Amino acid sequence: MKYVKPLSLLGDALKTKVKVPGRFLGLDVGDKYVGLAISDPSNMVASPLSVLLRKKTNIDLMATDFQNLVKAFSVSGLVVGYPFGKLNNVEDVVTVNLFIEELRKTEKLKDVKYTYWDERLSSKTVELMLKPLNLHPVQEKTMLDKLAAVVILQEYLDYTNRYFKTEPAE
């Protein structure tokens, strides 16, 4: 896995010679679960995908799951939610950093690029949307993780698409 700056991830995908650039996978990394979202083929809209159970003993299995998703959806990069500016919660920063480092160590995603995107209000936004639905706590947690990944990925797509649309043509 190789870290790239946020604009480089989409920029590199747009520069490829393929007719349709790859899609992006959004990740909301938590202690117990990783919420996943996928972009549409035009990288304009994010949709919920699934939630993976995260344990210290299953990182190799998770890396294989990511390999399969990369192939199945023609993923060109990962957009990982990162708690920028959370001065009070260092644990969240450590959680994300450890997860990415563990994935890198498996070497199963060597050619996959990733970037970080600010996740500060993603879970809170989703919590407020889900509250009126009165879901079962387990169902609510799964929905929260998936939809937080959607918020992270959608914010990334909105920002980068605005940037590349306003760039002067060469």
Side-chain angles (χ1 to χ4, degrees), residues 59-144:
I59 193 67
D60 200 56
L61 182 60
M62 287 184 83
T64 301
D65 288 343
F66 280 112
Q67 267 184 321
N68 293 334
L69 290 170
V70 166
K71 288 177 190 164
F73 290 102
S74 300
V75 171
S76 65
L78 308 178
V79 178
V80 182
Y82 197 84
F84 290 108
K86 279 192 175 181
L87 299 175
N88 298 337
N89 202 345
V90 177
E91 290 175 17
D92 290 344
V93 171
V94 171
T95 297
V96 174
N97 288 338
L98 280 175
F99 179 73
I100 293 300
E101 189 54 34
E102 289 170 352
L103 270 183
R104 290 179 78 187
K105 284 180 183 176
T106 68
E107 296 190 8
K108 290 186 175 188
L109 301 167
K110 281 192 257 186
D111 298 329
V112 176
K113 294 177 183 177
Y114 72 96
T115 195
Y116 292 122
W117 196 253
D118 194 352
E119 68 158 11
R120 276 183 285 187
L121 296 175
S122 62
S123 293
K124 196 53 148 173
T125 301
V126 174
E127 278 177 27
L128 294 172
M129 290 186 329
L130 293 178
K131 191 171 185 166
L133 299 178
N134 295 319
L135 299 171
H136 185 276
V138 173
Q139 190 179 23
E140 184 176 345
K141 178 63 178 147
T142 330
M143 291 292 290
L144 177 72

Side-chain angles (χ1 to χ4, degrees), residues 10 13-16 18-23 40-43 74 76:
L10 181 59
L14 293 173
K15 289 177 191 172
T16 60
V18 294
K19 192 173 185 177
V20 179
R23 299 162 84 172
D40 68 315
S42 65
N43 290 316
S74 300
S76 65

